[in-house]
């Protein structure tokens, strides 16, 4: 069967003298020379020059054309940017090498834990403490306090009590002046009160950072090893006395193949991380963000307490009405915290946002208070 011309749709004779040419594009059709208006000079070249190809008008439309001069200018700019970036990288590497050399000298000495003042512990609710709760659900706080006082004498044990507070179910929270004293108090409580009481440690809130840019997922049983690795390869930020604990590890919303981690660190490591802005985890460069967040009640949406102990009315965090967020169909946002603040202070605040908005003045105030508590010592 004879091939058909892609233009006039009539048969093409296969003899060379019949005058036809084949498209080298995706259509692979054949055409009469006369149908595609190819000049005789080009016909001769197509027939005589090996590797010389021709495309029909339809295939040419599918091709991307470019201006060679514009492309050269664009590639030139990209090359200059690449050279500039490499210069910055080498400059940073030089600076890091100098800092690392200085750090190796300092790391031979363990930095002592700063002494915490008595007054700061009293007003700071984020410090470590020990909670002692009776196994008898009918026992009250007064009896618990009496049993603790008769079993542990702070003066004899050289423990300075900085905070005492009643807890639910007749329990008592005891905060000491330092971490070492907290640990000592917990050990004494376990030795003398474990038969009748449940003793547990309440860890204080330390600075937190969010690190984004991991190329692989790490399971929870790998977090301790990962934290140790992070410290070892970033010794310009961490030293032998630095603490680093991974609290959470999850995928980012925008790119599920990129992961992030929430780290709890000491104050000096927090300052260094925030100043650096990022760090390397293997060959992954991860960006550092502030990971502190104010604790919000999911019942009334105010800050500073949990829904478990909340005595306020239920409010929607989106529209401030008295219903759950899952039942909200409101289109207009209203922040219940800014409404309360407007009433309390007698002046109008911007309320047209949800309670979780980072620009909310009440949220910002709660976050600043949390940071003041953490960094007060």
């Amino acid at each position: 069967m004879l091939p058909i011309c892609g233009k006039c749709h009539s048969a093409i004779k296969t003899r060379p003298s019949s005058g036809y040419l084949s498209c080298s594009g995706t259509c692979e059709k054949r055409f009469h020379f006369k149908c595609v208006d190819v000049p005789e000079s080009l016909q001769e070249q197509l027939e005589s020059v090996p590797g010389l190809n021709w495309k029909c008008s339809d295939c040419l439309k599918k091709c991307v054309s470019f201006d060679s001069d514009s492309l050269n200018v664009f590639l030139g700019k990209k090359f200059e940017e690449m050279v500039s970036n490499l210069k910055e990288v080498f400059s940073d590497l030089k600076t890091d090498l100098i800092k690392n050399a200085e750090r190796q000298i300092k790391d031979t000495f363990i930095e002592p834990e700063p002494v915490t003042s008595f007054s700061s512990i009293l007003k700071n609710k984020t410090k470590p403490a020990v909670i002692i709760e009776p196994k008898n659900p009918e026992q009250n706080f007064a009896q618990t306090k009496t049993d603790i006082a008769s079993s542990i004498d702070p003066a004899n044990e050289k423990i300075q009590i900085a905070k005492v507070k009643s807890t639910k179910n007749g329990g008592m929270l005891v905060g000491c002046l330092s971490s070492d004293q907290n640990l000592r108090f917990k050990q004494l409580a376990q030795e003398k009160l474990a038969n009748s009481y449940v003793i547990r440690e309440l860890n204080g809130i330390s600075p937190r950072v969010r690190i984004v840019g991991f190329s692989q997922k790490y399971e929870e049983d790998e977090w301790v090893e990962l934290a140790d690795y992070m410290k070892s390869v970033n010794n310009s930020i961490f030293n032998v006395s630095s603490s680093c604990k991974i609290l959470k590890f999850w995928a980012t919303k925008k790119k599920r193949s990129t992961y992030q981690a929430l780290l709890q660190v000491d104050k000096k490591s927090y300052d260094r991380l925030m100043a650096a802005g990022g760090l390397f985890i293997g060959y992954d460069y991860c960006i550092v963000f502030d990971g502190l967040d104010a604790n919000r009640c999911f019942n009334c949406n105010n800050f500073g307490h949990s829904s478990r102990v909340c005595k306020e009315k239920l409010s929607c965090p989106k529209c401030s009405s008295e219903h759950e967020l899952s039942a909200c169909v409101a289109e207009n946002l209203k922040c219940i915290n800014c409404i309360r603040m407007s009433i309390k202070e007698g002046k109008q605040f911007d309320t047209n946002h949800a309670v979780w908005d980072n620009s909310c003045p009440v949220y910002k105030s709660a976050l600043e208070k949390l940071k003041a508590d953490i960094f007060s010592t």
Side-chain angles (χ1 to χ4, degrees), residues 112-210:
E113 182 177 344
V115 178
T116 305
S117 66
F118 181 82
S119 60
S120 63
I121 287 274
L122 283 176
K123 65 181 181 180
N124 191 347
K125 298 179 181 179
T126 62
K127 296 299 177 185
V130 178
I131 295 179
I132 302 175
E133 294 177 334
K135 295 180 179 180
N136 178 8
E138 303 299 325
Q139 183 170 311
N140 57 30
F141 168 71
Q143 183 60 51
T144 301
K145 186 176 181 180
T146 300
D147 289 348
I148 295 173
S150 61
S151 301
I152 303 173
D153 185 349
N156 290 340
E157 301 295 343
K158 297 181 179 180
I159 294 175
Q160 292 178 279
I161 303 299
K163 178 170 56 178
V164 173
K165 184 179 178 182
S166 63
T167 66
K168 66 173 186 176
N169 302 327
M172 188 167 88
L173 179 147
V174 179
C176 300
L177 196 60
S178 69
S179 298
D180 290 341
Q181 292 184 21
N182 269 314
L183 179 60
R184 174 63 178 155
F185 184 86
K186 179 185 176 183
Q187 292 171 343
L188 290 169
Q190 288 174 333
E191 292 172 6
K192 300 181 179 183
L193 299 167
N195 290 334
S196 302
Y197 292 88
V198 175
I199 295 97
R200 58 190 176 92
E201 187 176 4
L202 179 66
N203 293 321
I205 300 175
S206 297
R208 297 179 180 186
V209 294
R210 185 166 59 93

Side-chain angles (χ1 to χ4, degrees), residues 290-319:
D290 193 336
L292 287 171
D293 194 13
N295 179 40
R296 177 168 61 88
C297 171
F298 291 106
N299 180 64
C300 73
N301 290 293
N302 212 333
F303 298 96
H305 66 272
S306 66
S307 57
R308 181 175 58 85
V309 297
C310 182
K311 298 179 181 180
E312 300 294 329
K313 292 181 180 180
L314 172 69
S315 66
C316 174
K318 183 179 177 182
C319 71

